Amino acid sequence: HPPLIYVNSKTGDISYIKSHGRIVGLIEDVRFQELEINCNKGDRFLLYTDGIHETVNSNNRMLDLEGLLEIVKEVNEPDLDKTLDKILIEVNNYKGDIPFKDDIVLMGIEII
């Protein structure tokens, strides 16, 4: 699974949180890595499937993880729903007429 995107509401920093482990639900009795993060009110976590950052444009160039992070930095705003919508709009703009090759899912969690 791709790394989680963390948006720190106090500093404005947007970064990846990488973890290691297996796909949830695929194998029984799997041990998972635990990660503890001190969160602030307004911090966000964005979860997504690899179909988003593996989106390809008409030049056969993949958006990749850094491209997705740049989109999040550009469109991040106070309303989480609008931010998620704008991310998907930008990913769609990136791909143009090229169809998605994989499923895409984007979810946001905001600390209230």
Side-chain angles (χ1 to χ4, degrees):
H1 289 286
L4 185 71
I5 296 176
Y6 173 58
V7 181
N8 185 309
S9 63
K10 286 196 174 187
T11 65
D13 290 339
I14 299 173
S15 59
Y16 283 113
I17 296 177
K18 297 181 180 180
S19 64
H20 305 284
R22 305 270 184 204
I23 297 173
V24 176
L26 186 65
I27 303 170
E28 292 183 34
D29 301 324
V30 175
R31 302 187 102 200
F32 294 98
Q33 173 189 7
E34 288 187 33
L35 179 63
E36 196 169 309
I37 299 171
N38 293 322
C39 298
N40 307 299
K41 181 179 178 180
D43 284 1
R44 294 177 177 168
F45 297 92
L46 304 180
L47 301 91
Y48 53 95
T49 56
D50 59 354
I52 291 183
H53 70 270
E54 291 176 354
T55 297
V56 176
N57 66 13
S58 60
N59 295 325
N60 204 30
R61 183 164 180 248
M62 190 180 297
L63 178 61
D64 71 35
L65 292 171
E66 289 309 311
L68 177 57
L69 202 62
E70 286 304 312
I71 288 174
V72 175
K73 288 177 182 178
E74 289 174 16
V75 304
N76 189 47
E77 61 175 78
D79 185 280
L80 178 59
D81 288 338
K82 287 182 183 177
T83 299
L84 296 174
D85 287 343
K86 286 184 174 185
I87 292 168
L88 293 176
I89 288 168
E90 289 302 316
V91 171
N92 246 329
N93 289 341
Y94 181 82
K95 75 171 188 61
D97 293 333
I98 305 300
F100 286 107
K101 296 180 180 178
D102 199 353
D103 64 296
I104 63 163
V105 176
L106 175 64
M107 297 186 303
I109 298 170
E110 185 169 4
I111 306 301
I112 56 172

